[in-house]
């Protein structure tokens, strides 16, 4: 399945949903059968995407399925799990581990990110190799705070602390850092709009080299707008989002369509 086929499928879904909404005054959602007061330790999410955009980068230009399964403790504060992505044409493959702790708007997370897509210029043949000069993994530590209340404004900081962020000479970590803010722009119950902006820089630059993990130099690497809507399809509600991204440092723009299946 290529990107055009996926987009056609999603468009058909949205069209069918719009017709269903005009002919029915009430649609039962499976979510209504979910009791939020009951502890559910294991979660599973699957999302279809036209591409994969991450921190101002187009990690995959191919249509893909993104999957996440996680365990959350009874307090809802500790989460551990795996995230995986696979393009339908086989050109993108990623498998990540993560640990997360959340408390009153604060979140701390550690991610072990391993993109082993065919044709990568780094080591993709040894998933368990964590030697600094050889590994295809990188370890990302994130801290963010989301303002509590009716306006969930978020600020965050993430630094690559280990792995394939070592500059052209592969001598030491650059500690490439990504700092962002995200905020709701419009809420009306029909289509929601969110926006964000982020910059990136290296805590330890390589002498004479401007390149960092996120681009060819430090600066603004991600300006984005995301429109989202819950689309009704028969007895199901599908969250659909469209993200438009601009990257001034790398001088390009992109768009990503995503549908969360469950």
């Amino acid at each position: 399945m290529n990107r055009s086929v996926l987009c056609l499928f999603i468009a058909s879904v949205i069209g069918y949903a719009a017709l269903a909404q005009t002919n029915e005054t009430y649609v039962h959602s499976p979510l209504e059968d979910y009791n939020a007061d009951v502890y559910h330790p294991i979660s599973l999410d699957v999302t279809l995407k036209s591409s994969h955009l991450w921190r101002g980068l187009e990690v995959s230009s191919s249509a893909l399925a993104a999957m996440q399964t996680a365990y959350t403790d009874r307090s809802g504060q500790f989460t551990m799990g795996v995230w995986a992505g696979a393009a339908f044409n086989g050109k993108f493959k990623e498998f990540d581990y993560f640990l997360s702790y959340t408390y009153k708007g604060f979140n701390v997370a550690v991610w072990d990110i391993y993109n082993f897509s065919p044709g990568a210029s780094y080591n993709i043949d040894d998933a368990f190799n964590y030697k600094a000069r050889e590994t295809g993994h990188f370890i990302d530590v994130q801290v963010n705070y989301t303002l509590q209340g009716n306006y969930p404004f978020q600020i965050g900081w993430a630094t690559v602390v280990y792995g394939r962020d070592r500059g052209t000479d592969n001598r030491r970590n650059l500690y490439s850092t990504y700092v962002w803010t995200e905020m709701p722009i419009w809420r009306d119950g029909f289509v929601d709009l969110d926006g964000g902006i982020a910059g990136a820089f290296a805590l330890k630059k390589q002498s004479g080299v401007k390149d960092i993990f996120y681009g060819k130099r430090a600066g603004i690497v991600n300006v984005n707008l995301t429109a989202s809507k819950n689309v009704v399809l028969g007895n199901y509600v599908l969250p659909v989002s469209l993200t438009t991204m601009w990257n001034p440092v790398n001088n390009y723009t992109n768009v990503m369509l995503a549908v969360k299946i469950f």
Side-chain angles (χ1 to χ4, degrees), residues 98-160:
F98 67 90
L99 293 169
S100 174
Y101 173 74
T102 301
Y103 181 74
K104 292 186 178 180
F106 287 96
N107 175 263
V108 179
V110 179
W111 282 74
D112 175 356
I113 298 174
Y114 182 52
N115 182 331
F116 56 103
S117 301
S121 59
Y122 50 86
N123 183 1
I124 61 171
D125 298 320
D126 192 351
F128 300 102
N129 185 342
Y130 282 87
K131 295 179 181 179
R133 292 176 178 271
E134 301 175 5
T135 185
H137 296 249
F138 66 92
I139 307 299
D140 184 76
V141 178
Q142 311 170 21
V143 180
N144 65 73
Y145 176 73
T146 303
L147 188 68
Q148 304 298 283
N150 296 327
Y151 193 77
F153 177 88
Q154 183 184 94
I155 56 174
W157 174 293
T159 297
V160 179

Side-chain angles (χ1 to χ4, degrees), residues 14-77:
I14 295 173
Y16 176 85
L19 180 62
Q21 287 176 315
T22 61
N23 293 331
E24 298 184 30
T25 58
Y26 173 76
V27 178
H28 175 79
S29 168
L31 296 177
E32 297 174 19
D33 298 326
Y34 174 83
N35 187 346
D37 295 327
V38 177
Y39 172 51
H40 299 278
I42 306 299
S43 63
L44 174 64
D45 302 294
V46 177
T47 301
L48 299 180
K49 305 170 75 174
S50 61
S51 62
H52 183 39
L53 305 182
W54 180 79
R55 296 185 182 176
L57 302 174
E58 184 185 56
V59 182
S60 172
S61 61
S62 304
L64 66 138
M67 300 146 281
Q68 177 174 302
T69 184
Y71 165 81
T72 302
D73 78 328
R74 189 173 292 275
S75 72
Q77 296 176 326

Side-chain angles (χ1 to χ4, degrees), residues 164-181:
R164 56 179 183 88
D165 177 37
R166 300 177 60 82
T168 57
D169 59 3
N170 194 19
R171 294 181 59 188
R172 66 177 186 179
N173 270 63
L174 301 181
Y175 296 98
S176 292
T177 296
Y178 180 88
V179 180
W180 76 92
T181 181

